[in-house]
Protein backbone atom coordinates (compact mmCIF):
# COMPACT_ATOMS: atom_id res chain seq x y z
CA UNK A 1 0.00 0.00 0.00
CA UNK A 2 1.26 3.47 -0.89
CA UNK A 3 2.29 5.63 2.08
CA UNK A 4 1.44 9.34 2.13
CA UNK A 5 3.26 11.61 4.59
CA UNK A 6 1.17 14.35 6.16
CA UNK A 7 2.55 17.27 8.12
CA UNK A 8 0.57 18.21 11.24
CA UNK A 9 0.28 21.56 12.95
CA UNK A 10 1.61 22.43 16.38
CA UNK A 11 -1.71 23.57 17.75
CA UNK A 12 -0.47 24.63 21.14
CA UNK A 13 3.13 25.72 21.62
CA UNK A 14 2.71 25.77 25.40
CA UNK A 15 1.55 22.18 25.80
CA UNK A 16 3.31 20.94 22.61
CA UNK A 17 0.16 19.29 21.26
CA UNK A 18 0.21 18.54 17.54
CA UNK A 19 -3.01 18.17 15.59
CA UNK A 20 -4.13 17.13 12.14
CA UNK A 21 -7.69 17.23 10.92
CA UNK A 22 -9.07 13.69 10.66
CA UNK A 23 -10.61 14.43 7.25
CA UNK A 24 -7.13 14.51 5.62
CA UNK A 25 -6.45 11.02 6.97
CA UNK A 26 -9.85 9.72 5.87
CA UNK A 27 -9.45 11.23 2.40
CA UNK A 28 -6.07 9.50 1.88
CA UNK A 29 -7.33 6.23 3.34
CA UNK A 30 -10.45 6.25 1.18
CA UNK A 31 -8.31 6.94 -1.88
CA UNK A 32 -6.51 3.66 -1.13
CA UNK A 33 -3.31 4.69 0.66
CA UNK A 34 -1.88 4.71 4.18
CA UNK A 35 -1.68 8.19 5.75
CA UNK A 36 1.30 8.69 8.10
CA UNK A 37 2.02 11.71 10.27
CA UNK A 38 5.44 13.30 9.86
CA UNK A 39 6.88 14.63 13.12
CA UNK A 40 7.93 18.30 13.32
CA UNK A 41 11.59 17.95 14.29
CA UNK A 42 14.59 20.10 13.43
CA UNK A 43 16.74 17.46 11.70
CA UNK A 44 17.53 17.44 7.97
CA UNK A 45 18.77 13.87 8.09
CA UNK A 46 15.34 12.88 9.38
CA UNK A 47 13.64 14.79 6.54
CA UNK A 48 15.65 12.78 4.01
CA UNK A 49 14.67 9.58 5.83
CA UNK A 50 10.98 10.59 5.61
CA UNK A 51 11.32 11.36 1.89
CA UNK A 52 12.98 8.01 1.22
CA UNK A 53 10.05 6.14 2.79
CA UNK A 54 6.94 7.96 1.61
CA UNK A 55 5.33 7.65 -1.84
CA UNK A 56 3.75 11.09 -1.72
CA UNK A 57 3.63 14.27 0.39
CA UNK A 58 0.45 15.97 1.54
CA UNK A 59 1.01 19.54 2.76
CA UNK A 60 -1.98 20.34 4.96
CA UNK A 61 -3.58 23.52 6.27
CA UNK A 62 -2.38 25.65 9.16
CA UNK A 63 -0.96 28.97 10.29
CA UNK A 64 0.56 31.73 8.16
CA UNK A 65 4.08 31.37 6.74
CA UNK A 66 6.72 33.67 8.24
CA UNK A 67 6.85 36.52 5.63
CA UNK A 68 10.66 36.81 5.70
CA UNK A 69 10.65 33.42 3.93
CA UNK A 70 9.25 35.19 0.87
CA UNK A 71 11.25 38.36 1.36
CA UNK A 72 8.66 40.57 3.03
CA UNK A 73 8.29 42.44 6.30
CA UNK A 74 5.51 41.06 8.47
CA UNK A 75 2.36 43.21 8.32
CA UNK A 76 0.03 43.65 11.32
CA UNK A 77 -2.70 41.62 9.56
CA UNK A 78 -0.44 38.58 9.15
CA UNK A 79 -1.27 35.79 11.60
CA UNK A 80 0.88 33.64 13.91
CA UNK A 81 3.87 31.77 12.51
CA UNK A 82 5.50 28.46 13.35
CA UNK A 83 9.15 28.57 12.17
CA UNK A 84 9.83 24.84 12.72
CA UNK A 85 6.93 23.79 10.53
CA UNK A 86 7.87 26.38 7.87
CA UNK A 87 11.44 25.09 7.80
CA UNK A 88 10.51 21.43 7.63
CA UNK A 89 7.79 21.83 5.02
CA UNK A 90 9.92 24.08 2.79
CA UNK A 91 12.66 21.43 2.88
CA UNK A 92 10.32 18.50 2.26
CA UNK A 93 8.53 20.36 -0.53
CA UNK A 94 11.68 21.46 -2.39
CA UNK A 95 13.23 18.01 -2.16
CA UNK A 96 9.99 16.27 -3.16
CA UNK A 97 9.85 18.47 -6.27
CA UNK A 98 13.50 17.70 -7.06
CA UNK A 99 12.86 13.98 -6.60
CA UNK A 100 9.58 14.13 -8.59
CA UNK A 101 7.71 12.75 -5.60
CA UNK A 102 3.98 13.56 -5.89
CA UNK A 103 2.81 16.50 -3.76
CA UNK A 104 -0.75 17.51 -2.94
CA UNK A 105 -0.72 20.93 -1.31
CA UNK A 106 -3.89 22.14 0.43
CA UNK A 107 -4.66 25.65 1.74
CA UNK A 108 -1.51 26.60 3.71
CA UNK A 109 0.07 23.81 1.64
CA UNK A 110 -0.39 25.64 -1.68
CA UNK A 111 1.22 28.67 -0.04
CA UNK A 112 4.16 26.55 1.18
CA UNK A 113 4.57 25.06 -2.31
CA UNK A 114 4.46 28.54 -3.83
CA UNK A 115 6.94 30.14 -1.42
CA UNK A 116 9.30 27.14 -1.39
CA UNK A 117 9.64 27.75 -5.15
CA UNK A 118 10.28 31.47 -4.71
CA UNK A 119 6.75 32.89 -4.96
CA UNK A 120 5.12 35.47 -2.69
CA UNK A 121 1.83 35.85 -0.82
CA UNK A 122 -0.78 38.43 0.02
CA UNK A 123 -0.41 38.50 3.81
CA UNK A 124 -4.08 39.42 4.16
CA UNK A 125 -6.55 39.26 1.27
CA UNK A 126 -9.12 41.84 2.52
CA UNK A 127 -6.53 44.57 3.23
CA UNK A 128 -4.07 43.81 0.39
CA UNK A 129 -6.09 42.34 -2.47
CA UNK A 130 -9.88 42.61 -2.48
CA UNK A 131 -12.98 42.31 -0.32
CA UNK A 132 -15.13 41.17 -3.24
CA UNK A 133 -15.19 37.57 -2.00
CA UNK A 134 -15.00 36.58 1.68
CA UNK A 135 -12.42 33.78 1.49
CA UNK A 136 -12.31 33.23 5.25
CA UNK A 137 -15.30 31.04 6.11
CA UNK A 138 -14.12 28.50 8.74
CA UNK A 139 -17.74 28.28 9.87
CA UNK A 140 -18.81 26.82 6.51
CA UNK A 141 -16.22 24.22 5.51
CA UNK A 142 -18.81 21.94 3.92
CA UNK A 143 -20.56 24.74 2.05
CA UNK A 144 -20.01 26.22 -1.40
CA UNK A 145 -18.55 29.68 -0.81
CA UNK A 146 -17.28 30.78 -4.20
CA UNK A 147 -16.72 29.49 -7.69
CA UNK A 148 -13.36 28.56 -9.18
CA UNK A 149 -12.56 28.52 -12.89
CA UNK A 150 -10.13 25.85 -14.02
CA UNK A 151 -7.54 26.24 -16.78
CA UNK A 152 -8.08 23.93 -19.70
CA UNK A 153 -5.76 20.92 -19.95
CA UNK A 154 -4.47 21.42 -16.43
CA UNK A 155 -4.31 18.46 -14.02
CA UNK A 156 -7.27 19.86 -12.06
CA UNK A 157 -9.26 20.21 -15.27
CA UNK A 158 -8.44 16.60 -16.20
CA UNK A 159 -9.36 15.34 -12.72
CA UNK A 160 -12.55 17.34 -12.27
CA UNK A 161 -13.66 17.46 -15.90
CA UNK A 162 -15.44 20.81 -15.61
CA UNK A 163 -14.50 24.40 -16.32
CA UNK A 164 -16.06 25.71 -13.14
CA UNK A 165 -16.55 24.28 -9.64
CA UNK A 166 -18.01 25.56 -6.39
CA UNK A 167 -15.60 25.33 -3.46
CA UNK A 168 -15.32 26.03 0.25
CA UNK A 169 -12.89 28.69 1.43
CA UNK A 170 -10.98 29.07 4.69
CA UNK A 171 -7.99 31.35 4.12
CA UNK A 172 -7.08 35.00 4.60
CA UNK A 173 -3.83 34.78 2.63
CA UNK A 174 -3.30 33.93 -1.03
CA UNK A 175 -0.73 33.67 -3.81
CA UNK A 176 0.58 37.03 -5.07
CA UNK A 177 3.36 35.96 -7.47
CA UNK A 178 3.69 32.30 -8.47
CA UNK A 179 6.89 30.39 -7.66
CA UNK A 180 9.33 29.18 -10.32
CA UNK A 181 7.71 26.89 -12.88
CA UNK A 182 4.25 26.98 -11.26
CA UNK A 183 1.30 27.22 -13.61
CA UNK A 184 -1.80 28.92 -12.21
CA UNK A 185 -4.59 26.46 -13.00
CA UNK A 186 -7.56 27.81 -11.04
CA UNK A 187 -8.88 31.25 -10.13
CA UNK A 188 -11.72 32.46 -7.93
CA UNK A 189 -14.30 34.90 -9.25
CA UNK A 190 -12.26 37.82 -7.85
CA UNK A 191 -9.23 36.59 -9.82
CA UNK A 192 -7.35 35.19 -6.82
CA UNK A 193 -5.20 32.12 -7.52
CA UNK A 194 -6.90 28.99 -6.15
CA UNK A 195 -4.94 26.25 -7.92
CA UNK A 196 -1.39 25.66 -9.21
CA UNK A 197 0.66 22.84 -10.67
CA UNK A 198 4.14 22.02 -11.92
CA UNK A 199 3.33 20.79 -15.42
CA UNK A 200 6.54 18.79 -16.00
CA UNK A 201 6.18 16.73 -12.80
CA UNK A 202 4.24 13.52 -12.14
CA UNK A 203 1.84 15.25 -9.74
CA UNK A 204 2.59 18.51 -7.97
CA UNK A 205 -0.79 20.15 -7.44
CA UNK A 206 -1.94 22.82 -5.02
CA UNK A 207 -5.47 23.93 -4.18
CA UNK A 208 -6.42 26.86 -1.99
CA UNK A 209 -9.70 25.25 -0.93
CA UNK A 210 -10.28 22.19 1.28
CA UNK A 211 -11.35 19.14 -0.79
CA UNK A 212 -10.71 16.84 2.23
CA UNK A 213 -13.64 18.46 4.06
CA UNK A 214 -16.18 17.43 1.42
CA UNK A 215 -15.09 14.03 0.05
CA UNK A 216 -18.36 12.36 1.06
CA UNK A 217 -20.63 14.88 -0.60
CA UNK A 218 -18.50 15.91 -3.55
CA UNK A 219 -17.13 13.36 -6.07
CA UNK A 220 -14.86 16.02 -7.56
CA UNK A 221 -13.14 16.51 -4.21
CA UNK A 222 -12.65 12.76 -3.83
CA UNK A 223 -11.29 12.57 -7.38
CA UNK A 224 -8.40 14.89 -6.42
CA UNK A 225 -7.24 12.43 -3.73
CA UNK A 226 -7.69 9.44 -6.03
CA UNK A 227 -5.60 11.09 -8.75
CA UNK A 228 -2.92 11.99 -6.18
CA UNK A 229 -2.72 8.47 -4.76
CA UNK A 230 -2.70 6.99 -8.24
CA UNK A 231 0.24 9.24 -9.22
CA UNK A 232 2.06 8.04 -6.07
CA UNK A 233 1.92 4.51 -7.45
CA UNK A 234 3.49 5.36 -10.77
CA UNK A 235 7.21 5.20 -11.43
CA UNK A 236 8.92 8.54 -11.99
MN1 LIG B 1 -10.98 30.93 -1.56
Amino acid sequence: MRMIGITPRLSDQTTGLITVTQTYLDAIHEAGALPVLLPLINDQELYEEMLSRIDGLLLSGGTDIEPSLYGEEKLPACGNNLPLRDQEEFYLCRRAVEMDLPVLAICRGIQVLNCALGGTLYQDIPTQYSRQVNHLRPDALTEQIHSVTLEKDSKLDQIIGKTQVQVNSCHHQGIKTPGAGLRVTARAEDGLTEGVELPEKRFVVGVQWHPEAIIHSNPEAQAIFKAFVQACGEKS
Side-chain angles (χ1 to χ4, degrees):
M1 191 180 270
R2 298 291 150 184
M3 201 158 81
I4 310 297
I6 304 182
T7 44
R9 63 174 84 196
L10 189 61
S11 63
D12 187 332
Q13 295 196 49
T14 313
T15 62
L17 281 176
I18 57 160
T19 55
V20 65
T21 313
Q22 176 71 25
T23 45
Y24 290 109
L25 311 179
D26 289 340
I28 292 298
H29 168 237
E30 289 177 32
L34 167 64
V36 289
L37 289 185
L38 305 176
L40 300 177
I41 291 174
N42 182 13
D43 182 349
Q44 282 196 8
E45 210 175 307
L46 197 72
Y47 303 159
E48 289 294 336
E49 190 65 33
M50 294 175 191
L51 289 159
S52 73
R53 290 174 186 230
I54 59 177
D55 300 296
L57 176 67
L58 195 163
L59 296 168
S60 64
T63 53
D64 294 347
I65 295 165
E66 162 61 51
S68 65
L69 291 173
Y70 47 92
E72 289 196 5
E73 296 275 322
K74 186 169 175 170
L75 300 175
C78 183
N80 290 337
N81 312 123
L82 180 54
L84 175 59
R85 187 178 180 195
D86 288 345
Q87 171 202 298
E88 179 166 329
E89 288 187 335
F90 272 53
Y91 187 96
L92 292 175
C93 184
R94 283 181 184 137
R95 287 284 293 130
V97 166
E98 277 175 20
M99 295 161 68
D100 199 13
L101 195 68
V103 178
L104 177 58
I106 295 176
C107 200
R108 169 191 154 92
I110 192 178
Q111 298 169 6
V112 168
L113 170 63
N114 186 57
C115 296
L117 298 177
T120 62
L121 302 179
Y122 294 110
Q123 292 185 38
D124 183 58
I125 294 164
T127 52
Q128 285 193 292
Y129 180 70
S130 163
R131 293 180 195 270
Q132 191 189 326
V133 174
N134 181 3
H135 287 275
L136 188 59
R137 291 295 306 278
D139 57 306
L141 261 187
T142 56
E143 287 171 36
Q144 300 180 339
I145 300 302
H146 63 72
S147 67
V148 158
T149 304
L150 305 177
E151 284 283 313
K152 227 180 154 18
D153 299 323
S154 63
K155 282 220 163 61
L156 284 173
D157 171 49
Q158 286 161 11
I159 293 165
I160 292 170
K162 283 186 189 174
T163 325
Q164 208 171 57
V165 279
Q166 296 293 322
V167 299
N168 51 16
S169 197
C170 186
H171 58 110
H172 83 113
Q173 298 197 326
I175 291 177
K176 186 156 71 178
T177 54
L182 279 177
R183 177 185 176 196
V184 174
T185 58
R187 285 186 192 277
E189 55 218 54
D190 60 2
L192 191 74
T193 296
E194 289 266 343
V196 296
E197 71 178 48
L198 278 176
E200 77 276 20
K201 297 295 178 183
R202 268 200 285 172
F203 189 103
V204 177
V205 172
V207 290
Q208 186 60 75
W209 67 95
H210 283 276
E212 82 287 355
I214 49 173
I215 49 161
H216 293 143
S217 58
N218 186 318
E220 294 146 7
Q222 198 165 43
I224 294 173
F225 288 94
K226 289 204 167 133
F228 171 49
V229 166
Q230 190 183 349
C232 294
E234 289 161 5
K235 291 255 179 284
S236 56

